[in-house]
Amino acid sequence: MTSAPTVLAVDFGSWKPNDWSAAASVATSVLTLLTVVIALLAALYARQQVTLARQLREEQAQPFVVVDFQDNPAMRQGIDFVVENMGQTLAKNVRIVVDPPFSSTLDETGFPLKDAPLIAQGIPSLPPRKRIAALFDSAPERQATDLPSRYTATVHFEDARGRRQEPLTYILDLSVRRKLLSVSEYGVDDGVKALRELSKTLKEMRSELTRERQRQSAIERARGQARSGDAAPESASDSA
C-alpha cells in the first residue's frame, strides 16, 4: 500500500501582522548573514591578491644568477663560461659548484678554470646585468679528446639583504652545440686580423721584388763586364 505524498501549503491569508513581522526579521537576518559572508569572501580574496602581488614583486626584485656556455666573440669556435645576474637587485656571496670539476684542453696553459677564483672562491657581489666571461675551451681541440661534455653547475647566492636564496641548478651540455649550422659574423677584430695578414703578404711581395731586382742588376753587371772583357782584346789586335 503506497501513501500519498504530503504537500505542505502555507496560507498567507491567515497570517497575522506578528507573523509577517517575524518572517521579515528572519529574511533580514538571512540577508545580513549572506552580506557578511560575501564581505568576508571578498576580503579573503583581496588579501590573497595582495599577498600574491607582494610575492610577485619580491620575486621580480630578487637576484637571478645564470651560468652557461656561450661562443667567444673573438676566438672562432672558442667556448666561454659565462656568469650573469639577470635579476633586478644585487647578488652577494655567489658560489658555483661544478660536478664534475671543469677540465679543458687549455688547462695545460697553467690557468685551469676550476682553480680560478671565479670557481674556487666565488664572487663577493654581482650587480644586476653584470656579466663575467672566462675562456673555457676550443671546440675543435676538445672534440678530439675524451673530456666530459656534460656538467652540473649549482649556484648558491644571497640577496642584497644577505638572505640566502634557493640554489639554482643548471645542466651545461656541450654536446648540444655539435653538428649545428651557424653563420660567421665578421667584426672589427676580423678586419684588423685580415689587414695584418695583408700587410705581411705585401711585405713578403716587396722583399721578393727587391731580391728579384737585385738579381737582375747582378746579371746586367755581369753581362756588362763580359762585354767589356771581349772588347779589350779586339782593340789590342787593331793597334798591332
Side-chain angles (χ1 to χ4, degrees):
M1 182 177 180
T2 58
S3 59
T6 302
V7 179
L8 298 178
V10 179
D11 185 7
F12 292 105
S14 63
W15 279 27
K16 297 179 181 180
N18 291 335
D19 297 331
W20 287 105
S21 178
S25 298
V26 172
T28 302
S29 299
V30 172
L31 291 175
T32 302
L33 180 61
L34 289 175
T35 302
V36 172
V37 171
I38 293 173
L40 288 175
L41 292 176
L44 290 175
Y45 178 77
R47 181 179 180 181
Q48 183 181 18
Q49 294 300 311
V50 171
T51 302
L52 291 175
R54 183 174 63 252
Q55 292 177 351
L56 181 60
R57 288 195 302 270
E58 290 178 353
E59 291 176 357
Q60 291 177 342
Q62 294 301 317
F64 187 72
V65 182
V66 177
V67 297
D68 198 3
F69 287 132
Q70 294 184 4
D71 294 333
N72 184 286
M75 177 182 176
R76 195 170 306 282
Q77 294 188 329
I79 304 172
D80 281 349
F81 174 69
V82 178
V83 183
E84 184 175 0
N85 180 9
M86 302 186 68
Q88 298 182 5
T89 56
L90 179 72
K92 298 175 61 178
N93 297 323
V94 180
R95 298 290 183 271
I96 304 172
V97 180
V98 182
D99 182 38
F102 279 145
S103 54
S104 167
T105 60
L106 301 179
D107 289 350
E108 60 186 14
T109 61
F111 300 94
L113 182 58
K114 64 180 180 180
D115 297 333
L118 176 66
I119 303 297
Q121 302 176 13
I123 309 171
S125 61
L126 193 64
R129 302 302 174 183
K130 176 67 175 181
R131 183 176 183 271
I132 300 176
L135 180 61
F136 174 67
D137 210 341
S138 172
E141 283 75 9
R142 188 177 186 87
Q143 290 180 6
T145 68
D146 57 353
L147 293 175
S149 61
R150 184 183 178 96
Y151 296 92
T152 300
T154 304
V155 184
H156 304 267
F157 60 99
E158 301 172 356
D159 64 7
R161 298 182 180 180
R163 296 176 297 186
R164 188 174 300 276
Q165 303 297 296
E166 182 178 356
L168 301 176
T169 301
Y170 300 91
I171 303 299
L172 309 179
D173 195 346
L174 291 168
S175 63
V176 300
R177 305 166 60 90
R178 298 175 182 172
K179 297 183 180 180
L180 297 177
L181 295 176
S182 61
V183 177
S184 299
E185 181 179 355
Y186 296 93
V188 176
D189 293 337
D190 296 293
V192 172
K193 182 179 179 180
L195 289 175
R196 288 175 177 173
E197 293 178 353
L198 179 60
S199 177
K200 180 180 178 181
T201 302
L202 291 175
K203 288 181 180 179
E204 293 176 352
M205 292 177 61
R206 189 180 299 112
S207 299
E208 184 65 26
L209 289 174
T210 301
R211 287 193 295 269
E212 182 63 22
R213 290 195 190 98
Q214 292 174 350
R215 189 174 68 87
Q216 292 294 335
S217 298
I219 292 174
E220 292 296 331
R221 286 196 300 270
R223 288 177 178 175
Q225 292 174 358
R227 287 195 296 269
S228 299
D230 293 340
E234 294 178 358
S235 299
S237 61
D238 292 341
S239 59

